Amino acid sequence: MTASEHPGRALADPVGLIVDLITTVEPSLETTRIHAVVSSVVGGHAKSRRLATHLAEHPDVLTHGRSPAPRAVGDLLIALREAGASRVSPPCCAQCGKQLRTLQRRGQDWCCSVCGPQPEPCAACGKTRRVSTRDRAGKPRCAKCHDADGRDPLAVIHTVITELDPRVGPDTVAAAVRRTTRRTADQQKMAWALEADPTLLTGNAHLAPFPAILRLIDHLIDAEILGVQRPACPSCHRIVRINKPLDGQRVCRTCIAHSRITQCSRCGARREPATRDDHGRPLCPNCLITDPANLECCINCGRRRLVNTRTPDGPLCPSCPALPLSTCSICGETRPCGTSRTTGRPWCPACQQRTEPCSSCGRHTVVASGTPAEPLCVQCTAPEVWHSCPTCTDPDYPHPGQCARCLINQRLNELLGPPTGTLHPGLAALRHNIATAEFPITARRWLDKPSVAPVLADLATGQRPLTHQALDELPDSQPLAHLRQVLVNVGALPERDEQMTRIEQFLTGLLASQQDPDQRRLLHRYTTWHLVRRLRGRNNGRPVTPQQFNSVRQRTHAAVAFLEWLNRSDLALETCRQADLDRWLTDPSATYRRTTGHFVRWAGTNKLTTVHLPAHRWNGPTQPLDDLHRWDVARQLLHDEDLKPEDRLAGLLLLLYAQGPAKISRMTVQDIVINAEEVQLHLGRAPIQLPEPLAALARTVAANRKGHATIGALTPSPWLFPGGQPGRPISTGQLTQRLNRLGIRPNQARSTALFQLATEIPAAILARTLGIHTDVAVTWQRLSAGDWANYAAEVSQRPITTSRLPASNT
């Protein structure tokens, strides 16, 4: 059994593959016992896949137990031997071949206690021997040359601490030291370190040679010993837990994360890598959890999604609650069951994973319904039709029965009451929308959410009025935002600019938290009368985008951070000089340096300060431009029909027409004009005629667009790429993630496309067709060294034609 015989199983089902390999070698051990041992050893998905891949490629390691091999293989061999395996070999030392009960490693090799440690020259006798201890200078000592110190380490530590607090007794110090460590050798090392540098107890513990001193400081402070100070992080100057070594000092976890920031090899984001791929390239946490290899089949809904909860029966995705006990409609046993999307009836996880020959068509496939004796596949299963329920009559007011429609109406009766004339018209419209939802199972799950059901009950009873202001009093959350948008779409609430409301609420709370009245007035003048006023003027009635909200919030935080730094430096905005500003620019504790420049320039324009901070000018793309990769991905999107059409269209709009994710996500069906002969795309003032097969792809997306919203969604949606909230387009972040899965880095790909287009098309036409500013088009033309000086004379000799982008490379 090799990896080539199971090309995808090591990724799809690594635990099952490991169990099968072990069962082949150890048939006498029960499969359930082997599965339990493997589950206790493999850990996460990445570790289990590496273990499965190595065992599939080297199955003989189970019988000879020799390295090189990952540490997990050795742990598995030891666990199997402890579980009673006799044919599985324990790990063996790579040097002497001794069978091991515990592991020591030297690289990828396993070693025993004799062969493992490397001998070093003893600092006392000079002989090369095994290292037994290390002296106070950190140098190796052999077993015969210990660094003798006849003093009691507790007494030495007490002497050092009495210099800070003479009233402290030896018992108090001894108790704190023993709570830190009970090993005499560690206490001796601690005494040597504190004796050599007593300032470790007064704020310099970031220089501590080992982390036990940091724990000792916590115990001494808890014992109310005077003079002892908790250390601050030498990088960010915060008094937080510091136990991570960095450049000879101990820093906090945040600074360690900042020091490890690198560019993700998949999405291009600069973050601390969560792992590395098979080629050793860094991957950010988002790409790790969204990697298709890390997705698992939810035992409730059956979809391959992120794992939110692990139960004894299997994983659950974020959308599915814990499984209730019910009688499975297939096997008839009472177990934790999900609800089948095909039949609307409960089925257990075991039946969801069962594959049998269909009793109707004979195909060997996944069982969707029927019984264990007569299973049925999805094609042969009659879909759940709620009209067949004997108690369902009127979709607006059915009687509680057993089908999904009846159950959801029963839940609506509990929350909102029957649709009588006393029910608020908006809630009546919501009730009808939920009762007639396309997917009643999804609607019922939404009603059962703890963040939705109490709010709807309060609205129905009148304890909370059906207004935006009443919903604003509740804690802000994603489910509440979704509920608000549902109420807006069904007509229960009027439409409002949510992002502008968020800005107003954010500024109100931030200004109220300012204690200094002068600083509060200054921030009110900057935020309300400059940032918000300019934003309203630029939008001219259009709703505020999430990117604009983030810009206002970031600039406000930058202004607050700069003013707080001035207060800590005993300065004011009026008394700040250019030398003070330069000192702030070099202060390691300063934040929002680039964003603060906007506030400083505004203050200078309004004669509030004399300092100046020049604006950051864009001088071209900073990431490499890979036009070859751009065309390779574009060809794949044009011809790979296994990918989703909406993902293919979004990627091609970015790769071919240099449209950013923010603009793509807000495109409407009015931006695409579909005729019998051609398809035109409106990005700017002049339309672009789409070539085939891109035109056919645009027709497909425009005809079949559908978001993930089940309740309150407008049909058909006006957006070309509908989102998860009803009536809203897909978010920029979600679209960026979907493009990343296709191997597209939006910023780099858009820069490459603009650079290439600027070399082929004049700036005026580029701006008119792509919907970008003329100055931007001219800048890109200058960067690409495009020469269009004679374009006006040349075009005057041509016949007038419709402006279009070249499509020969597609």
Side-chain angles (χ1 to χ4, degrees):
M1 184 178 295
T2 62
S4 60
E5 296 173 352
H6 301 274
R9 194 176 176 192
L11 297 179
D13 185 19
V15 175
L17 177 59
I18 296 171
V19 171
D20 290 345
L21 291 171
I22 298 173
T23 305
T24 304
V25 177
E26 193 73 38
S28 60
L29 202 60
E30 296 180 359
T31 304
T32 55
R33 181 63 174 164
I34 295 176
H35 193 282
V37 172
V38 172
S39 300
S40 65
V41 172
V42 295
H45 299 294
K47 183 178 178 181
S48 62
R49 287 197 299 268
R50 287 195 298 267
L51 178 59
T53 302
H54 184 84
L55 290 180
E57 294 175 352
H58 307 90
D60 53 346
V61 73
L62 294 172
T63 56
H64 63 62
R66 291 190 175 274
S67 54
R71 172 63 183 265
V73 176
D75 294 336
L76 178 62
L77 296 179
I78 293 175
L80 289 172
R81 295 288 295 187
E82 294 176 351
S86 58
R87 297 186 180 182
V88 172
S89 171
C92 300
C93 177
Q95 301 293 328
C96 63
K98 177 183 177 181
Q99 293 185 351
L100 307 177
R101 294 183 179 179
T102 59
L103 282 182
Q104 295 187 57
R105 285 208 307 165
R106 187 188 302 162
Q108 287 288 312
D109 290 327
W110 304 325
C111 302
C112 63
S113 59
V114 176
C115 303
Q118 293 288 334
E120 298 182 38
C122 177
C125 64
K127 297 180 180 180
T128 301
R129 295 177 175 174
R130 289 181 56 193
V131 178
S132 175
T133 59
R134 294 189 180 270
D135 58 17
R136 65 193 70 189
K139 296 182 179 180
R141 294 291 185 101
C142 66
K144 297 182 179 181
C145 302
H146 289 288
D147 189 1
D149 191 339
R151 300 175 298 171
D152 182 7
L154 299 179
V156 175
I157 297 175
H158 177 258
T159 302
V160 175
I161 295 177
T162 52
E163 296 293 332
L164 303 175
D165 189 0
R167 65 179 181 84
V168 66
D171 295 338
T172 304
V173 174
V177 174
R178 291 193 181 99
R179 284 198 299 270
T180 303
T181 177
R182 290 189 173 275
R183 294 184 58 189
T184 305
D186 293 339
Q187 295 174 1
Q188 187 67 68
K189 293 178 182 179
M190 192 183 304
W192 287 340
L194 295 178
E195 189 178 30
D197 187 6
T199 61
L200 295 176
L201 298 175
T202 58
N204 287 340
H206 60 278
L207 302 175
F210 38 85
I213 294 179
L214 299 171
R215 298 196 300 270
L216 175 63
I217 291 174
D218 292 336
H219 293 313
L220 294 176
I221 293 177
D222 293 340
E224 299 181 354
I225 297 178
L226 302 178
V228 180
Q229 299 179 10
R230 283 192 174 92
C233 176
S235 180
C236 63
H237 307 288
R238 297 181 302 152
I239 300 179
V240 293
R241 183 181 181 186
I242 55 172
N243 59 348
K244 304 294 182 180
L246 178 65
D247 298 333
Q249 298 179 335
R250 298 192 176 273
V251 299
C252 65
R253 180 64 185 84
T254 302
C255 293
I256 283 290
H258 290 167
S259 68
R260 296 174 180 171
I261 288 178
T262 186
Q263 186 176 16
C264 177
S265 61
R266 182 167 301 173
C267 68
R270 292 189 57 81
R271 296 179 181 175
E272 180 187 15
T275 186
R276 294 184 178 272
D277 60 13
D278 297 336
H279 303 286
R281 297 172 299 188
L283 292 178
C284 68
N286 184 60
C287 291
L288 172 64
I289 64 174
T290 57
D291 192 308
N294 289 330
L295 304 181
E296 295 188 45
C297 186
C298 176
I299 61 175
N300 191 359
C301 62
R303 295 176 291 177
R304 284 188 60 82
R305 301 191 63 191
L306 300 177
V307 177
N308 182 60
T309 307
R310 292 193 179 275
T311 67
D313 301 291
L316 291 172
C317 69
S319 302
C320 294
L323 299 182
L325 284 176
S326 184
T327 302
C328 178
S329 60
I330 297 178
C331 64
E333 298 186 12
T334 302
R335 297 177 177 177
C337 292
T339 305
S340 172
R341 289 176 174 267
T342 304
T343 64
R345 297 184 177 91
W347 61 341
C348 64
C351 292
Q352 295 179 31
Q353 301 173 5
R354 181 176 300 169
T355 58
E356 298 286 347
C358 178
S359 60
S360 177
C361 65
R363 293 189 309 126
H364 191 92
T365 183
V366 178
V367 176
S369 64
T371 62
E374 297 181 355
L376 295 175
C377 65
V378 176
Q379 285 75 13
C380 299
T381 299
E384 185 267 337
V385 182
W386 65 273
H387 297 287
S388 62
C389 178
T391 57
C392 290
T393 54
D394 185 359
D396 292 333
Y397 186 41
H399 301 284
Q402 296 300 319
C403 72
R405 291 288 176 185
C406 287
L407 293 177
I408 193 174
N409 277 278
Q410 182 180 6
R411 182 59 174 159
L412 286 172
N413 288 339
E414 296 172 358
L415 294 177
L416 303 179
T420 59
T422 59
L423 187 62
H424 190 283
L427 295 180
L430 175 64
R431 193 188 192 289
H432 177 76
N433 186 276
I434 298 176
T436 58
E438 181 180 1
F439 301 105
I441 299 174
T442 304
R444 186 184 175 193
R445 288 175 186 157
W446 182 73
L447 285 177
D448 290 337
K449 288 186 176 181
S451 55
V452 174
V455 178
L456 290 180
D458 290 344
L459 294 175
T461 58
Q463 296 181 8
R464 187 178 302 276
L466 186 57
T467 62
H468 281 293
Q469 293 73 19
L471 295 181
D472 290 338
E473 298 174 357
L474 298 172
D476 189 20
S477 63
Q478 282 296 110
L480 178 63
H482 188 92
L483 173 61
R484 186 195 302 272
Q485 193 59 32
V486 167
L487 293 172
V488 169
N489 269 32
V490 300
L493 288 176
E495 182 73 45
R496 75 172 185 178
D497 192 342
E498 290 297 331
Q499 298 300 329
M500 178 57 72
T501 303
R502 291 182 63 193
I503 291 176
E504 294 172 350
Q505 294 174 350
F506 162 72
L507 293 179
T508 301
L510 184 137
L511 294 176
S513 65
Q514 301 298 315
Q515 302 297 328
D516 188 353
D518 295 333
Q519 183 170 324
R520 188 188 309 118
R521 284 192 294 269
L522 178 62
L523 289 174
H524 181 269
R525 180 179 174 185
Y526 171 65
T527 57
T528 304
W529 295 106
H530 178 65
L531 294 180
V532 177
R533 182 183 180 186
R534 186 178 64 169
L535 180 60
R536 292 183 187 274
R538 285 184 173 181
N539 286 8
N540 193 24
R542 295 188 300 272
V544 178
T545 65
Q547 290 76 19
Q548 290 174 327
F549 166 76
N550 292 332
S551 176
V552 171
R553 182 175 58 178
Q554 189 175 28
R555 288 178 175 178
T556 303
H557 282 313
V560 172
F562 181 64
L563 293 176
E564 290 179 350
W565 181 87
L566 291 177
N567 291 335
R568 291 195 303 268
S569 304
D570 296 329
L571 295 171
L573 192 60
E574 298 81 5
T575 60
C576 180
R577 298 295 177 260
Q578 195 67 35
D580 300 321
L581 184 63
D582 296 338
R583 182 163 56 90
W584 170 76
L585 291 172
T586 57
D587 189 343
S589 64
T591 56
Y592 299 100
R593 286 190 179 91
R594 291 180 58 179
T595 314
T596 309
H598 185 272
F599 172 71
V600 173
R601 289 187 292 274
W602 169 83
T605 303
N606 289 272
K607 310 300 181 183
L608 301 177
T609 184
T610 58
V611 298
H612 177 67
L613 189 62
H616 178 77
R617 295 189 177 277
W618 182 76
N619 296 317
T622 56
Q623 295 180 337
L625 303 181
D626 190 352
D627 194 55
L628 181 61
H629 174 71
R630 165 180 167 246
W631 284 116
D632 289 341
V633 178
R635 292 187 186 95
Q636 179 189 5
L637 297 180
L638 283 170
H639 305 292
D640 190 351
E641 297 183 356
D642 293 335
L643 301 176
K644 294 182 179 180
E646 55 270 23
D647 292 348
R648 295 169 59 193
L649 180 61
L652 290 170
L653 291 177
L654 191 148
L655 294 171
L656 301 182
Y657 301 104
Q659 301 301 301
K663 186 172 182 180
I664 295 175
S665 65
R666 302 193 67 83
M667 292 182 63
T668 64
V669 292
Q670 297 180 353
D671 296 327
I672 295 184
V673 179
I674 300 177
N675 300 322
E677 298 81 11
E678 62 181 11
V679 177
Q680 291 186 340
L681 175 66
H682 289 266
L683 300 176
R685 290 174 295 170
I688 301 172
Q689 181 178 340
L690 298 182
E692 296 291 346
L694 182 57
L697 188 61
R699 289 190 181 96
T700 302
V701 174
N704 302 318
R705 63 191 185 278
K706 186 176 182 180
H708 294 286
T710 301
I711 304 170
L714 300 178
T715 304
S717 174
W719 302 103
L720 188 61
F721 301 96
Q725 288 191 359
R728 295 292 178 87
I730 186 174
S731 66
T732 304
Q734 181 65 24
L735 180 60
T736 302
Q737 291 181 14
R738 294 169 67 167
L739 293 175
N740 290 337
R741 297 191 192 107
L742 300 175
I744 301 174
R745 300 178 183 177
N747 292 337
Q748 182 181 9
R750 184 172 183 268
S751 298
T752 304
L754 275 175
F755 187 90
Q756 187 64 30
L757 292 172
T759 63
E760 303 173 355
I761 303 173
I765 296 180
L766 194 67
R768 189 167 64 247
T769 54
L770 297 187
I772 61 177
H773 197 275
T774 306
D775 294 342
V776 176
V778 171
T779 302
W780 277 100
Q781 180 181 329
R782 185 177 64 254
L783 290 172
S784 62
D787 185 11
W788 294 95
N790 299 324
Y791 174 74
E794 179 186 348
V795 79
S796 63
Q797 302 175 3
R798 300 191 214 158
I800 299 177
T801 58
T802 303
S803 161
R804 67 182 66 178
L805 289 177
S808 58
N809 287 332
T810 63

